Amino acid sequence: MSAGNQKNGGDKPKEAAVWPEVERAECLARGAALKWASGVFCRPEHLERLSQYKKRESQRTASIHTRLKSMVQSYLEGVGWGLEQLREARDELREVSLTLKEAGLESDGNTDCLASLEKLREVSVDHRQLFTTVSNLPRLYAIRSMVLETERLVESRRLLEAHARLMDLERWQDDILWQLHGAAGTAGGSLSSEDTELVAKYFSGVGQLVDALGKELWAVVSSSLALARQNPTPFVSAVRIVEREEALDRALLAERGGGGRPLPAGRPRCWKACFFQVLEEAVSARFRSVSYLHTRGPGLAGHLSALQHAVMADLATVRHLLEHCVPPHYQLTAAYLRASHRCLQTHLAQVSSWDLESGEIFAVLNWVLHIYNSPDMMGHPELVTELDRSQLGPLISIEGVEQLQSKYVQSVRKSVSEWMHKALQVELQDWQRDQEPDSDHEGFYHTSLPTIITQMLEENARVALMIGESLRDQTIQMGLYEVENLLNRFREALVEYGKEHRRDPTNNKNKFYLHYLLASISNCIILKKSTESLQQQQLSRFSGMFSRTPPNPLAALDRAVRRACRLVMDQLLLELQPFLPGLLTRPWLVQGDPVPKLCSVLESHLDLYGRVRPPCRQRLQEEAQWLMVVEYVRALMQKKLVCRSSEERRQLAQQMILDDQLLREVFHSLVSLPEVNPLALLPVLADFIRLKDPGMLTLEVSGLAAKYPDISEEHVSVLLDVRGDVSRDIRWAVLDLLEQSAPPLPAGYRPIFTDILVPPSTLAFCLPTAKCA
C-alpha cells in the first residue's frame, strides 16, 4: 500500500506538470471550502449540524459527477460519428481518383483525332464567311441607293421615313461588323483593321446622314414655338425620333452590359439631352439680339415689358400646344421655365453691368423683385404647380441686388444734390427781391425752398418703397445727408447775407432783409418737421452703405436757426443803436426820451416776429426782451448819470420804473414767459438806487446776488457809484460780502450780467495830496 501511495504520489507532480490548471483549480476549491467552513462552524454549537452539511454536500457532489459522466458520454458518441463519416469520405475519394486516372489514359489515346477536327473547323469558318458574304451582297449593292434616298427624305423634312431608312442602314452595318467579328473570334483571332476600313468605306454616307438628320432635327426643335402655332407635325416627328434613339441607346447599353455586342461608333447619341440643350439655346437666342443702345433710358422699361409678354406667350404655347406633343416624363413646361430663368439670369447680369441711370435701375429692380414673381409671370397659379421656384434661385443674387440698390442710391443722390443746389440758388435770388416773402394760409412767411426739398425727398422715398423697405431706408438716409449738407451751405449763405447787409444797411436791395431772415427761420421749422417724418419712416437707424457717421440734419437745422436768430437780433440792435446812447442820461431823466422810440422799434419787430412759425416766434420775442434789458443795464453801467442827491436817486428810480412799465406793455403779448424774466431786473435795480439808508445796501446786495448770482463786484461797484452817496467803508463791506457769498450758478440759469461788460474806470489826474495818499 505504501508502494501504491508512493506511485500515486509520484504521478501527482507529473499530472500537475501536464495540467497546471487542475492544481490551481484544486487550490481555489480548497480555499473556498475553508472559507465556507470557517464561516459556518465559527462556534462549537454549530458542529451539531455537521452531519447535515456533510450529507447535503455528498448529494451535490454525486449530482455533479452524474452530469459530468452524461456530458462526456455525449461528446464521445459525437466523436465516433465523425470518425465514421471521415472513413466513408476517404473511400469515395479513392474511387474518384481511380476514375480520373482512367479518363486521363483514354484522353491521351485520342490525340490523333484532333488534327482531323482542326481541318473541319477551318472549312466551317470559310463556309460561314462565304455565307455571310453571299447574304450581305444585296444589302451592299443597295447601300448607295438607300443613302441617296435617305438624303432626299431628309432634305424634304420627311424625318420619320428618313430615320427609318437610317436605322436600317445602321442595323446592316452593325450586323456585318458583328458577323465579321464573330467569324474572326471563331477562327481564334480578332477583327482586322482592313475589314473595319472596308465596312466603313461601304457605309461612309451613314455618318453624314446622321449629321444631316440631326441638323434638321434640331432646326425643327429650335423653331418649335413657331411651328406649334402653325403645324406641330414636324415637332412631333422630331420627338418620336428622339424617343427611338433613346430606346436604341438603352438597348445597346443593355447588350453591352450582358456581354453581347460592343457599342457601335457614335453610340450612345444622347439625343434627348441634346433636345433640351437645343431648346435652351432657342430660348437664349431671344436675348442675344438685345443691344445696349436699344435699351437705354425709357427703352429699358419697354424692353423688360416686352420680355415679360414674350416669355408668358411662349409659356402659354409650351403649356397648351407643345406639352401635348411630348411624353409626360419630358415635363416640357418645367424645362422651358428653367431654360428661360437661366437665360434671364445671364441677360439681366449683362444689363446690370451697364452704366444705368436711376430710372433704369428702378425698372430692373422692380421687374426682378416684383413683376417676375407676381401672378402675372412666374407666380401664375398654373405655373406654380409645374416647378418649385426655390429650385430656380433668384434672377439676381442678393449681392447683385445690393449693388444695384447702391448704384440707384448714388444716382439719386447725384440728382438730389443738383436739385438742392439749384433750389438754394433760387432761394438766394429770392432774398434779393424787392417785395415781402410769400405767406401761407396761417400768415407765416415762407419761400419755395422747403416745399421743393420736402417734395423731392418724399417722392424719392415713395418711389424707393415700391422696391422695398431696405431701399427706402437707404434713400431716406441719403436724403438726410443731403439735407444736412444743404443746411450747412444754407447757414453759410445766411452769414454772407448778413455780412452784405452790414456793409451797406441802406441798400434798397436789403429793404426786406429782416423779412427774409424770418422766412428762413420758418423754412427751417418746416424742414425740421419733414426731417423728423422721414426719420420715423426708417426701419433701421443707420445703413451700412455709408462709411461715415450717421447724418444729423436736426443739429444742422438748429445751427442754421440759431444763426438766423442771431442775425435777427443783430438787426434789432442795429435799429435800436441810434436811440441807446440817450438812455440813462440827464435829458432822459427830465424828458423820458428815447424809451418810447425804442418801444416803437421793438413793437415793429415783434409784429414781424409773429410771422414766424412757433416755437421760434416765442424764441425771438424772448431774445428781443433779453436784448433790450441787457442794453438798458449796459447803459446804466456806463455811468452817464451819477446821482447828486436823494431827489435825483428818487427820480432815477421812478424813471426806471416807468421804462419798465413801457417795456412790459410792449412784451405783454408773449405767449409763454421765460423762467427768468429779464424785465424783473429793472425794478430790482430801481429799488437798489432808491434805497434811502446806505447802511441797508449790504442786505440789498445780498438779495440781488441771490436772484442774479452772475453779478460781479464791478457791476455792484458801478451801481454804488451811480447812487453817489456810498462811503468807502460801506463800499468795502458790500464788496467783501459779495466776494464771500458768491453762490454758484444754478442749473438752467441764464446769465444776464455776464453779457454786460463794465467799462474801465478813468481816474482823473490829481496832485498827490495827503488825502489821496
Side-chain angles (χ1 to χ4, degrees):
M1 185 168 182
S2 61
N5 289 337
Q6 289 176 0
K7 184 178 180 181
N8 293 338
D11 292 342
K12 229 176 198 183
K14 187 183 294 185
E15 183 182 354
V18 177
W19 302 100
E21 292 84 357
V22 175
E23 183 179 0
R24 183 169 175 273
E26 185 177 355
C27 292
L28 290 175
R30 288 181 180 276
L34 288 174
K35 184 177 180 181
W36 174 80
S38 61
V40 174
F41 303 108
C42 59
R43 292 184 181 180
E45 57 269 19
H46 291 167
L47 294 174
E48 296 177 356
R49 291 180 290 178
L50 177 60
S51 59
Q52 298 177 2
Y53 285 116
K54 183 177 181 181
K55 183 178 179 181
R56 188 178 65 183
E57 292 301 323
S58 298
Q59 292 175 353
R60 184 183 299 172
T61 303
S63 175
I64 292 173
H65 285 170
T66 303
R67 287 201 300 271
L68 285 174
K69 288 178 181 179
S70 62
M71 187 184 302
V72 170
Q73 182 65 29
S74 63
Y75 285 162
L76 290 176
E77 290 177 356
V79 170
W81 181 82
L83 291 175
E84 185 64 27
Q85 294 293 323
L86 289 174
R87 291 191 195 97
E88 294 177 359
R90 184 186 60 182
D91 295 340
E92 292 176 357
L93 286 174
R94 187 180 293 114
E95 294 177 1
V96 170
S97 177
L98 292 174
T99 305
L100 287 175
K101 188 179 292 184
E102 293 174 358
L105 292 175
E106 291 180 0
S107 176
D108 293 340
N110 294 328
T111 53
D112 298 336
C113 300
L114 291 177
S116 59
L117 289 176
E118 204 54 48
K119 294 178 181 181
L120 184 61
R121 183 185 296 113
E122 293 175 0
V123 173
S124 175
V125 170
D126 293 340
H127 182 271
R128 184 178 301 173
Q129 290 178 349
L130 290 173
F131 178 77
T132 302
T133 303
V134 171
S135 61
N136 287 321
L137 280 177
R139 297 181 180 179
L140 294 176
Y141 284 120
I143 287 174
R144 182 60 182 169
S145 61
M146 284 193 66
V147 169
L148 294 176
E149 179 66 18
T150 307
E151 288 179 353
R152 185 181 62 80
L153 292 174
V154 170
E155 291 173 357
S156 61
R157 280 205 172 181
R158 295 163 62 181
L159 301 181
L160 281 176
E161 298 179 31
H163 185 255
R165 298 294 180 86
L166 180 60
M167 289 176 65
D168 291 338
L169 288 171
E170 288 182 332
R171 186 165 54 250
W172 292 356
Q173 182 181 9
D174 295 343
D175 289 344
I176 291 173
L177 287 173
W178 177 245
Q179 290 171 6
L180 292 176
H181 178 76
T186 305
S190 60
L191 188 61
S192 64
S193 58
E194 296 179 357
D195 295 339
T196 305
E197 292 175 0
L198 181 61
V199 174
K201 182 179 180 181
Y202 270 100
F203 290 91
S204 59
V206 175
Q208 298 174 0
L209 283 177
V210 172
D211 295 338
L213 180 62
K215 184 177 180 181
E216 291 296 327
L217 201 67
W218 307 139
V220 170
V221 173
S222 62
S223 59
S224 57
L225 291 172
L227 292 173
R229 301 184 183 95
Q230 302 170 1
N231 180 21
T233 304
F235 179 74
V236 174
S237 301
V239 173
R240 292 179 62 184
I241 292 172
V242 169
E243 283 296 292
R244 286 180 186 175
E245 288 293 327
E246 286 294 306
L248 279 174
D249 286 344
R250 289 193 297 269
L252 291 173
L253 288 173
E255 286 185 8
R256 182 189 180 188
R261 298 185 182 187
L263 279 176
R267 291 286 183 178
R269 292 200 176 120
C270 302
W271 275 12
K272 184 177 179 181
C274 294
F275 172 87
F276 289 106
Q277 183 179 354
V278 171
L279 185 66
E280 183 170 351
E281 291 177 356
V283 174
S284 64
R286 291 179 173 270
F287 306 100
R288 292 177 189 157
S289 60
V290 178
S291 66
Y292 174 71
L293 296 176
H294 294 164
T295 57
R296 287 294 294 158
L300 182 58
H303 166 67
L304 294 175
S305 178
L307 273 184
Q308 175 187 355
H309 294 300
V311 170
M312 294 308 295
D314 291 347
L315 275 172
T317 302
V318 171
R319 287 175 48 246
H320 299 298
L321 298 176
L322 294 182
E323 188 73 56
H324 303 292
C325 300
V326 299
H329 63 269
Y330 271 51
Q331 296 182 347
L332 195 60
T333 303
Y336 184 83
L337 282 172
R338 285 190 291 268
S340 299
H341 188 80
R342 284 192 291 266
C343 293
L344 285 173
Q345 284 177 327
T346 304
H347 179 63
L348 290 174
Q350 178 188 7
V351 172
S352 301
S353 64
W354 296 342
D355 186 15
L356 302 177
E357 299 294 336
S358 59
E360 299 169 323
I361 299 173
F362 174 84
V364 173
L365 288 173
N366 185 53
W367 200 86
V368 169
L369 299 178
H370 300 295
I371 295 178
Y372 185 72
N373 295 317
S374 68
D376 294 333
M377 279 198 74
M378 295 305 171
H380 195 279
E382 296 182 2
L383 295 179
V384 172
T385 58
E386 295 289 344
L387 184 67
D388 185 6
R389 282 185 296 170
S390 61
Q391 300 176 1
L392 299 177
L395 275 180
I396 299 180
S397 63
I398 298 176
E399 294 78 8
V401 171
E402 291 177 352
Q403 291 177 2
L404 279 178
Q405 289 182 349
S406 178
K407 288 171 62 177
Y408 174 83
V409 173
Q410 295 301 329
S411 179
V412 172
R413 184 174 194 172
K414 181 180 178 182
S415 176
V416 167
S417 179
E418 293 175 355
W419 276 100
M420 285 188 176
H421 178 73
K422 293 179 182 178
L424 183 59
Q425 295 302 317
V426 172
E427 177 75 5
L428 298 182
Q429 294 174 5
D430 288 345
W431 291 353
Q432 307 300 327
R433 290 194 305 175
D434 192 18
Q435 62 182 24
E436 286 189 21
D438 298 332
S439 301
D440 59 12
H441 65 283
E442 295 179 295
F444 299 130
Y445 284 145
H446 72 92
T447 61
S448 60
L449 179 66
T451 303
I452 295 174
I453 301 303
T454 300
Q455 290 179 351
M456 186 191 317
L457 296 179
E458 290 180 351
E459 179 65 17
N460 286 326
R462 184 188 65 80
V463 172
L465 183 59
M466 296 171 64
I467 300 299
E469 293 179 344
S470 174
L471 184 60
R472 188 269 311 272
D473 290 347
Q474 295 181 32
T475 304
I476 291 177
Q477 198 81 1
M478 173 275 299
L480 294 178
Y481 274 120
E482 291 304 317
V483 169
E484 183 179 6
N485 295 333
L486 171 72
L487 290 172
N488 290 332
R489 296 195 301 268
F490 183 75
R491 183 170 59 87
E492 295 171 0
L494 284 174
V495 174
E496 292 298 324
Y497 189 44
K499 290 180 180 179
E500 180 183 353
H501 178 71
R502 285 194 295 272
R503 283 194 293 267
D504 189 6
T506 60
N507 191 351
N508 289 331
K509 292 183 178 180
N510 297 330
K511 185 166 70 171
F512 295 100
Y513 168 75
L514 179 61
H515 302 73
Y516 280 101
L517 286 179
L518 299 177
S520 299
I521 296 174
S522 293
N523 290 343
C524 290
I525 297 173
I526 297 173
L527 282 176
K528 181 180 180 181
K529 294 179 180 178
S530 302
T531 301
E532 291 174 345
S533 175
L534 287 174
Q535 287 180 335
Q536 291 175 359
Q537 294 180 38
Q538 281 185 287
L539 296 180
S540 55
R541 292 296 302 167
F542 179 62
S543 175
M545 62 170 292
F546 298 99
S547 57
R548 54 194 179 103
T549 55
N552 193 1
L554 295 180
L557 273 167
D558 185 61
R559 290 192 295 268
V561 168
R562 282 192 279 110
R563 173 55 61 184
C565 291
R566 183 68 265 166
L567 292 175
V568 171
M569 291 299 104
D570 291 344
Q571 180 64 20
L572 174 61
L573 182 60
L574 183 64
E575 296 184 18
L576 294 176
Q577 198 65 45
F579 310 108
L580 291 177
L583 275 177
L584 296 163
T585 59
R586 293 281 174 186
W588 164 81
L589 186 62
V590 176
Q591 301 174 1
D593 287 337
V595 174
K597 297 177 181 179
L598 292 173
C599 290
S600 176
V601 173
L602 286 172
E603 286 177 351
S604 64
H605 270 255
L606 290 176
D607 289 341
L608 287 177
Y609 296 165
R611 309 293 294 274
V612 179
R613 288 182 173 274
C616 286
R617 176 177 59 188
Q618 292 82 0
R619 179 177 178 178
L620 289 173
Q621 293 171 347
E622 293 171 6
E623 290 296 324
Q625 185 182 22
W626 206 272
L627 174 67
M628 188 64 242
V629 172
V630 168
E631 294 301 324
Y632 195 97
V633 177
R634 180 178 284 118
L636 180 63
M637 292 293 111
Q638 292 175 358
K639 296 189 293 187
K640 291 180 285 186
L641 177 61
V642 177
C643 298
R644 301 169 184 170
S645 63
S646 60
E647 179 61 23
E648 285 189 356
R649 286 192 291 274
R650 185 191 65 77
Q651 291 179 0
L652 174 60
Q654 184 65 30
Q655 190 62 40
M656 290 178 67
I657 294 296
L658 292 176
D659 292 347
D660 175 63
Q661 292 176 355
L662 290 175
L663 292 175
R664 286 182 182 273
E665 290 178 1
V666 171
F667 292 106
H668 77 282
S669 61
L670 279 178
V671 178
S672 60
L673 295 176
E675 295 180 2
V676 179
N677 188 2
L679 287 176
L681 176 61
L682 300 185
V684 173
L685 296 178
D687 292 342
F688 183 87
I689 293 172
R690 185 169 48 193
L691 188 66
K692 295 180 180 181
D693 186 5
M696 299 294 292
L697 287 175
T698 304
L699 182 61
E700 190 72 19
V701 168
S702 177
L704 183 63
K707 289 183 178 180
Y708 303 96
D710 61 319
I711 192 170
S712 65
E713 297 179 11
E714 290 81 4
H715 295 120
V716 175
S717 179
V718 170
L719 292 175
L720 296 176
D721 292 339
V722 170
R723 281 183 58 89
D725 65 338
V726 181
S727 65
R728 181 179 301 176
D729 295 337
I730 295 176
R731 177 186 295 270
W732 285 354
V734 169
L735 295 179
D736 185 59
L737 173 66
L738 184 64
E739 181 181 2
Q740 294 179 1
S741 64
L745 297 181
Y749 173 77
R750 181 177 179 180
I752 186 170
F753 285 96
T754 306
D755 298 332
I756 303 171
L757 298 178
V758 177
S761 60
T762 57
L763 297 177
F765 176 76
C766 63
L767 293 174
T769 60
K771 185 176 181 180
C772 290

